[in-house]
Amino acid sequence: MEHVEHGFGPVWDAASRVLVLGSMPSPKSREAGFYYMHRQNRFWPVMAALFADPADPNDVPGDSPDSRRAFALRHHVALWDVIASCDIVGASDSSIRNAMPNDLTPILRGSRVTRVFTTGAKAGQLYRRLIEPGLSAAGCAVPMIQLPSTSPANASMRLPRLIDVYREAFEDAGILRTT
């Protein structure tokens, strides 16, 4: 068990329309200083399938934090995590203890975010327990949808199914046009 501080801030701007929250960055993501950086995590392939413009070869997430940040912002997707610090073993969400939440209020008040998506069961559980009550009390609650984890640990859900589930959620939020 190791005590971990998040280590890097959120990605968002005033035009962000949806906020995607994981639980806590994996060791690979903390090392890279950006979200979903484990090479086997399927988050960026899912985002590319949803948002990349086939007519624009430059509209891809790329491999670097800078290119991924730009891609997310270009498509009005904000990124952060539920947890600011916790005790954890490696990247195991099930081992998380003593979680301290991030404050989402500045993002929700400073952007056009109308929906929060959590990636995985633990992120959803921690959001409902640690963040939702405070947002409601502050008068800035928005609907939250729990999506499946894109982690390689969620091996039972193949990439095409992940893409379908995420597409439906983003369409329902009005971020993607219905296909």
Side-chain angles (χ1 to χ4, degrees):
M1 185 78 52
E2 170 188 13
H3 183 75
V4 174
E5 300 287 330
H6 191 282
F8 50 95
V11 171
W12 70 283
D13 63 18
S16 297
R17 296 178 55 205
V18 65
L19 173 57
V20 178
L21 300 172
S23 54
M24 174 59 107
S26 71
K28 290 285 185 194
S29 293
R30 292 193 306 269
E31 179 182 310
F34 202 67
Y35 302 91
Y36 307 102
M37 294 300 282
H38 189 287
R39 64 180 177 76
Q40 292 179 324
N41 191 297
R42 294 157 305 164
F43 181 80
W44 292 109
V46 168
M47 292 296 103
L50 298 184
F51 293 108
D53 180 355
D56 180 357
N58 296 315
D59 190 23
V60 295
D63 293 328
S64 74
D66 287 341
S67 65
R68 289 176 174 186
R69 177 181 289 105
F71 184 84
L73 292 175
R74 186 167 52 253
H75 295 288
H76 311 293
V77 176
L79 303 170
W80 209 9
D81 287 300
V82 173
I83 303 171
S85 68
C86 68
D87 298 328
I88 189 169
V89 175
S92 171
D93 277 0
S94 64
S95 73
I96 292 173
R97 303 287 182 269
N98 304 314
M100 297 301 297
N102 279 311
D103 179 8
L104 307 185
T105 307
I107 294 174
L108 297 178
R109 288 195 172 143
S111 71
R112 297 172 45 210
V113 168
T114 59
R115 195 80 38 85
V116 170
F117 296 142
T118 58
T119 59
K122 190 66 167 189
Q125 172 195 42
L126 291 168
Y127 178 88
R128 284 187 293 278
R129 191 179 84 212
L130 300 175
I131 292 180
E132 204 167 51
L135 291 178
S136 292
C140 61
V142 298
M144 183 274 284
I145 305 296
Q146 181 179 304
L147 295 174
S149 174
T150 57
S151 164
N154 182 14
S156 66
M157 186 164 282
R158 302 278 183 226
L159 181 60
R161 181 69 183 130
L162 277 172
I163 292 168
D164 288 345
V165 171
Y166 276 65
R167 176 174 281 117
E168 182 178 330
F170 277 87
E171 285 174 351
D172 286 350
I175 306 302
L176 285 175
R177 282 179 266 169
T178 305
T179 54

